[in-house]
């Protein structure tokens, strides 16, 4: 199964997504701190990354730019303003795989 990494500052969201992906048989690593996650994910890139767009300390777009220089694995952005993040990334020519607006339902 896939190795999925999730980076977001909302612990409840991390826990919910981890449980959902693990129930489907995937290996999941979660990180509440983007600055801590980045070196780990560069050293061992996941099959897919789910990234919060507005993480404190290291904004999702800055994280994505650094991450993208090391790996091409798919990135899905989660954000209350996912369309704005999509527009910002399109301007710099580095679109993510997908954008999902918060809040959302796992059902």
């Amino acid at each position: 199964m896939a190795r999925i990494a999730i980076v977001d500052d909302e612990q409840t969201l991390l826990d919910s997504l981890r449980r959902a992906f693990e129930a489907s048989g995937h290996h999941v690593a979660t990180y509440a701190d983007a600055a801590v996650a980045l070196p780990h994910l560069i050293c061992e890139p996941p099959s897919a990354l789910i990234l919060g767009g507005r993480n404190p300390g290291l904004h999702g777009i800055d994280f994505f730019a650094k991450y993208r220089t090391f790996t091409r694995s798919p990135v899905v952005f989660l954000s209350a303003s996912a369309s704005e993040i999509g527009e910002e990334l399109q301007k710099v020519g580095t679109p993510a795989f997908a954008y999902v607006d918060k809040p959302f339902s796992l059902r």
Side-chain angles (χ1 to χ4, degrees), residues 43-60:
C43 288
E44 193 175 337
S47 305
L49 171 63
I50 299 173
L51 177 61
R54 306 264 185 229
N55 294 307
L58 184 58
H59 189 278

Side-chain angles (χ1 to χ4, degrees), residues 45-97:
S47 305
L49 171 63
I50 299 173
L51 177 61
R54 306 264 185 229
N55 294 307
L58 184 58
H59 189 278
I61 291 174
D62 298 328
F63 180 103
F64 181 70
K66 292 175 183 178
Y67 179 78
R68 188 49 85 214
T69 63
F70 293 95
T71 181
R72 303 301 295 171
S73 62
V75 175
V76 175
F77 267 96
L78 300 177
S79 179
S81 56
S83 60
E84 289 176 22
I85 288 177
E87 290 170 10
E88 289 178 50
L89 290 174
Q90 290 288 349
K91 288 177 188 174
V92 296
T94 319
F97 178 75

